[in-house]
Amino acid sequence: MQKIVIDGGARLGGQVRVAGAKNAALPLLLATLLGEGEHRIANVPDLVDVRTTCRLLERMGCGVEFARGRVKVEVNGLKCREAPYELVKTMRASVLCLGPLVGRFGQGRVSLPGGCAIGARPIDQHLKGLSKLGAKVVLEHGYVDVRARRLRGASIVLDMPTVTGTENLLMAAVLARGQTVIHNAAREPEVVQLAEVLNSMGARIAGAGSEEIVVRGVNELRPMDCRVIPDRIEAGTLLIAGAITSGDVLVRGARPEHLAALMEKLDEAGVAVGVASSGIRVKGPARPRAVDLSTQPHPGFPTDMQAQFMALMTLARGTAVVSERIFENRFMHVQELRRLGARIRLEGGRAVVTGVRALSGADVMATDLRASASLVLAGLVARGRTRVHRVYHLDRGYQRLDRKLRALGARIRRAPDRPPVAIR
Ligand code: EPU
């Protein structure tokens, strides 16, 4: 176990490069199941979730090599078509193998993901869509078993624009017979990249990035050779690190078209945000202004940036209302931010944040990936020392965030952490 130790107060400055996007890399890795042969993916972030996905592919019988940000996946038949409990319990995104497995091999079996720290997170929309495509879905012994001889195109109306649901159904539909239309589809950049890569493999997908995606099924796909898009959430987190420390930071590789909602909120908060050819630059004010926000599906403000933006708002002049509309329980960071001296009141799905002049360092505990990031951000400005425990959450989604922040001037390091003593 490790913890992150931060001595707050350093103003960040300089340049940092954003890594490849976790949430784009995971579906791409699983999409390799759709084509026989050797697939190549570049700019893959070295994260625990990526390693878990590689292990899953290996268990299924694929050859996987991962070195210096490049993954090579050799698909040559499969020896198993299952994502077991041990892997799914550590990474919900394993469910993304269902679409490719049933689409190409006629059967897939995945341990049913449970609830998680941010909410119940069912997969009913994935399963509804697969049934619409003609698959038989059986739930037993904690597993979902999906079978079909060959899927048939269909019209699917999602109840909400689910990101992995849209990705799973896209991957199922590309090899189905006939045309599939996904209505109320997710529009996230990661969905768009998946569709583009599938098209480069020979799929026929139109409309990705809009609410209606049309897929015309083909008989087979070639291997992919692609490069993962920059991680907009890591980029956003680094931008807030610059803003919250009243610093001046250029995040190289950050794409403004993926970060428009965040950039607008930063601007409203008094942060100077500039677009350079190499990325996005922020200059933080002495003290930000309070701004309200409400999370929404893309292109709205991303739920994956809510905790980090709240960290910024804890120091704002005035009161900000932060509404979480995607996940019902994504306020686990609130209690920990309060330990650092933040004034936050929870009212149902809203957090009312009244800015304070300064936070003060404390021991805090990470509960999920983005909550951990918000605690690190708050620690950068808190007076004195902050220790963030349970750092493994952070490492699921950020590639060496502490090193990147240190390179920008933060006083931050990792240290071994003793497991908490059980209270009898
Ligand atoms: N939902 C259902 N039924 C479904 C699917 C979703 O009720 O069948 C609900 C969810 O419970 C949630 C809402 O719909 O309330 C939206 O969830 P969505 O399915 O879009 O989330 P996801 O696909 O499971 C991805 C990201 C998350 C990110 C969300 C929202 C990946 C691997 N994960 O999850 O990323 O928060 O979209 O943008 O792409 C993270 O990186 O920290 C993370 C949690």
Side-chain angles (χ1 to χ4, degrees), residues 39-57:
H39 302 257
R40 289 162 187 271
I41 313 178
N43 201 32
V44 180
D46 193 353
L47 302 171
V48 175
D49 280 6
V50 167
R51 296 266 171 196
T52 305
T53 309
C54 292
R55 268 182 28 230
L56 176 59
L57 290 170

Side-chain angles (χ1 to χ4, degrees), residues 22-23 121-125 160 162-164 304 326 370:
K22 165 179 84 83
N23 290 347
R121 298 183 79 182
I123 56 162
D124 56 302
Q125 300 300 303
M160 73 288 288
T162 154
V163 177
T164 49
D304 289 344
I326 307 293
R370 308 303 171 187

Side-chain angles (χ1 to χ4, degrees), residues 94-118:
S94 320
V95 76
L96 280 169
C97 67
L98 264 188
L101 285 177
V102 71
R104 171 135 184 259
F105 299 96
Q107 191 239 337
R109 195 162 177 267
V110 170
S111 171
L112 198 59
C116 67
I118 61 178

Side-chain angles (χ1 to χ4, degrees), residues 236-237 240 243-244 261-271 288-294 301-316 320-322 333 337 353 370 373-374 377:
T237 304
I240 293 187
I244 201 170
L262 173 67
M263 287 164 65
E264 201 160 305
K265 284 293 163 191
L266 286 173
D267 178 63
E268 285 173 35
V271 177
R289 279 194 292 272
V291 288
D292 296 345
L293 75 85
S294 166
F301 191 94
T303 173
D304 289 344
M305 284 304 304
Q306 179 257 108
Q308 301 91 314
F309 200 86
M310 192 186 296
L312 180 68
M313 289 298 98
T314 61
L315 290 159
V321 179
V322 176
H333 43 286
L337 288 171
V353 188
R370 308 303 171 187
S374 79
L377 292 173

Side-chain angles (χ1 to χ4, degrees), residues 52 75 94 103 180 187 207 209 212 221 226 231 250 306 328 335 349 394:
T52 305
V75 183
S94 320
T180 298
R187 292 186 279 165
E212 188 178 291
L221 295 177
C226 63
D231 194 314
L250 170 68
Q306 179 257 108
E328 65 274 24
Q335 209 170 310
L394 192 75

